[in-house]
Amino acid sequence: TKSTGRNGYHFFEASMNANAHNQLQVIQDLRLALERKEFKLHYQPKFNTPNGIVVGAEALLRWQHPTRGMIAPDDFIALAEKTGLIVPIGEWVLDEACRQMRIWHDEGNQHWKVAVNLSAVQFSNDHLIELVQTTLARNNFPASGLILEVTESTAMHDVEASLTILDKLAGLGIDISIDDFGTGYSSLLYLKRLPATELKIDRGFIRDLAQGSNDSSIVAAIIALGRSLNLHIVAEGVETEEQQAYLRVLGCDAMQGYLMGRPMAPDQFMDAIHTAALA
Ligand code: C2E
Ligand code: CA
Ligand code: CA
Ligand code: CA
């Protein structure tokens, strides 16, 4: 009826306004968050499959909001991209990740690499190469210790442009990882041309991994493909012993996941991985 429709409309409008208001508030907070030092990086350890040795960590962004508590990246990265704030935030992430890993290198873990996620907006920013160079120099951090993770869909969005950027990044001596692999539409020809060093198999394929499942043939195929292209293959989202054992059988090079280690604040990282190593 008319009145229901009207009520429905008003209800809808009210909630839309609440959302718009909420979004504006978050954008305002996001603008201040950097200078208020509300961002934190958590680090998730990455393990070599054959011997379980830690090979490095992925830096994952967290927002410690003064009233809303800890906010996960999926809840603010899209807004940060839309407003362009992802550029200064991403600069901070890169600098902070290199600064922290430099400390861990100095503590005797020179072989560790730190992986930093790049959004599509940062990836197409003209100053990316210069930013990476100056950030490495400022932190006296070796290019060989840095991995930049770009999602498959970002890398494949404009393949020719990506090739230009990735070639320059690879030229600096850093590693390039293709994140969320398997969810995009990679042409094998382009994949072959990308100067990537690593493929990260998307968590979605690992979730239902069990001997004989459909996902296990996809994972086996991705590993075989990566092998033939000489890429390092990483599985993310490993949560069970069964998944871990099966990935070992399939010949995956490295693993990340809650089973071996959650993303952690840097001051917890060392203790946690020593415990994991003993287990
Ligand atoms: P991603 O790069 O695919 O990162 C992996 C996500 O899976 C992380 O979520 C991680 O905490 C989570 N994860 C790791 N192991 C497991 C597991 O065993 N099980 C499950 N269920 N999840 C696991 P997080 O930290 O919430 O990050 C979400 C996404 O936000 C990231 O996905 C990445 O796309 C983005 N992100 C995070 N940090 C940054 C950043 O500094 N810059 C940019 N541009 N994006 C970031
Ligand atoms: Ca990632
Ligand atoms: Ca991923
Ligand atoms: Ca993802």
Side-chain angles (χ1 to χ4, degrees):
T1 67
K2 197 175 175 187
S3 74
T4 322
R6 179 171 279 224
N7 282 341
Y9 176 74
H10 279 296
F11 178 74
F12 185 55
E13 187 184 50
S15 67
M16 287 266 292
N17 283 337
N19 281 337
H21 176 78
N22 200 29
Q23 259 199 14
L24 267 180
Q25 189 63 55
V26 173
I27 291 170
Q28 270 171 19
D29 290 352
L30 210 47
R31 286 190 203 289
L32 294 169
L34 266 179
E35 57 183 85
R36 291 181 177 168
K37 301 195 190 317
E38 291 168 1
F39 291 116
K40 305 274 176 277
L41 289 183
H42 279 186
Y43 296 86
Q44 185 176 36
K46 190 166 154 186
F47 298 82
N48 195 359
T49 303
N51 54 18
I53 286 174
V54 174
V55 291
E58 178 176 4
L60 293 157
L61 185 58
R62 303 289 180 258
W63 181 8
Q64 186 63 60
H65 191 281
T67 56
R68 293 168 202 256
M70 190 78 97
I71 307 181
D74 283 334
D75 293 331
F76 67 87
I77 295 252
L79 265 188
E81 288 180 329
K82 219 157 73 183
T83 53
L85 288 166
I86 193 67
V87 172
I89 294 172
E91 286 176 11
W92 177 83
V93 169
L94 187 63
D95 188 63
E96 177 60 18
C98 291
R99 190 191 66 78
Q100 179 61 59
M101 190 49 82
R102 169 85 240 171
I103 293 173
W104 285 332
H105 280 190
D106 291 345
E107 290 172 0
N109 305 290
Q110 289 87 348
H111 62 290
W112 285 2
K113 296 185 184 230
V114 70
V116 171
N117 291 284
L118 276 193
S119 96
V121 175
Q122 292 172 279
F123 188 63
S124 53
N125 187 288
D126 292 338
H127 301 295
L128 178 64
I129 311 298
E130 197 186 319
L131 173 73
V132 172
Q133 264 177 319
T134 56
T135 306
L136 291 173
R138 186 185 318 114
N139 290 284
N140 189 22
F141 190 75
S144 59
L146 178 63
I147 305 176
L148 290 181
E149 296 193 1
V150 210
T151 65
E152 181 186 15
S153 47
T154 298
M156 293 299 161
H157 173 70
D158 178 346
V159 175
E160 293 306 323
S162 297
L163 278 172
T164 308
I165 299 165
L166 290 176
D167 278 332
K168 284 185 190 159
L169 287 172
L172 298 178
I174 67 171
D175 284 353
I176 310 289
S177 178
I178 308 296
D179 202 358
D180 299 350
F181 189 79
T183 60
Y185 302 92
S186 290
S187 140
L188 291 184
L189 281 177
Y190 283 126
L191 191 60
K192 202 174 146 183
R193 287 172 65 197
L194 289 184
T197 43
E198 180 180 279
L199 287 187
K200 286 186 99 165
I201 308 171
D202 190 68
R203 174 151 52 88
F205 298 113
I206 307 303
R207 197 178 300 130
D208 302 315
L209 194 65
Q211 208 126 14
S213 71
N214 280 337
D215 281 344
S216 71
S217 27
I218 295 175
V219 171
I222 292 176
I223 292 174
L225 171 68
R227 272 281 124 65
S228 70
L229 296 174
N230 241 329
L231 296 169
H232 190 243
I233 315 291
V234 183
E236 63 177 6
V238 180
E239 293 184 352
T240 68
E241 303 274 357
E242 193 190 7
Q243 291 163 350
Q244 189 188 50
Y246 197 42
L247 285 161
R248 225 174 239 145
V249 170
L250 291 175
C252 178
D253 298 304
M255 297 188 206
Q256 244 180 281
Y258 291 171
L259 177 67
M260 297 85 74
R262 293 190 169 250
M264 294 168 272
D267 56 340
Q268 300 170 338
F269 191 84
M270 285 297 177
D271 283 349
I273 63 164
H274 284 125
T275 314
L278 291 175

